[in-house]
Amino acid sequence: MKDIFTIANLLGIVALAALCSAQWRANSRLDAQNYRLEATRLDQAAKIADQEKHIAADAADLDQLRTQLAASNDALKSTQGDLNSLTREHESLKTQHAALESRYSQLESQRDQLKAVFDKWIAAVAQRDEAIKQAGRQIQKLATERNDAVVKFNDLAGKYNALVKQVESGK
């Protein structure tokens, strides 16, 4: 009987070891799952805190956007008034522009007339310059002829004086 108790005890110990092993595995899985769940909870808590910060920032941005939108509406109204004023000024400038274009056309016509007169004047000046050049050449020719005549006269006077001296010395 002692052997039966020993075998039963051995079987009980083995069963207890198997039960402890199964319990240890279950506890390990539960601890790992608990750890993962705790990590997930902390991660989600951080995400929630981050989302709350974003919500607060978005609310501030929304308030700022509303303020900017109100300012933009005011600026739009002001700009619309300025645009109306500029439109009136533009119409006035268009009228002035039309008058200036008319004046410009008149000035172009006058310019063309003056250009024609100027071209005639240039032609007249060119003719005058040519006449002056021709007169200069003629004067130069006459001066050369005069100088030649003076040289001939001086030669002749020199010969005459020499002849007179010769005649006086020969007497």
Side-chain angles (χ1 to χ4, degrees), residues 146-156:
R146 182 206 61 203
N147 289 341
D148 289 343
V150 168
V151 167
K152 286 180 185 178
F153 176 77
N154 286 339
D155 285 344
L156 183 61

Side-chain angles (χ1 to χ4, degrees), residues 104-119:
Y104 180 72
S105 295
Q106 291 173 352
L107 290 174
E108 280 183 330
S109 175
Q110 288 177 356
R111 181 202 64 201
D112 292 342
Q113 290 172 357
L114 288 173
K115 196 172 188 182
V117 168
F118 183 68
D119 289 341

Side-chain angles (χ1 to χ4, degrees), residues 6 53 68 82 93 95 101 120 138 154:
T6 305
K53 287 179 187 176
Q68 287 177 350
D82 291 345
L93 288 174
T95 304
E101 280 184 340
K120 287 179 184 177
Q138 191 174 9
N154 286 339

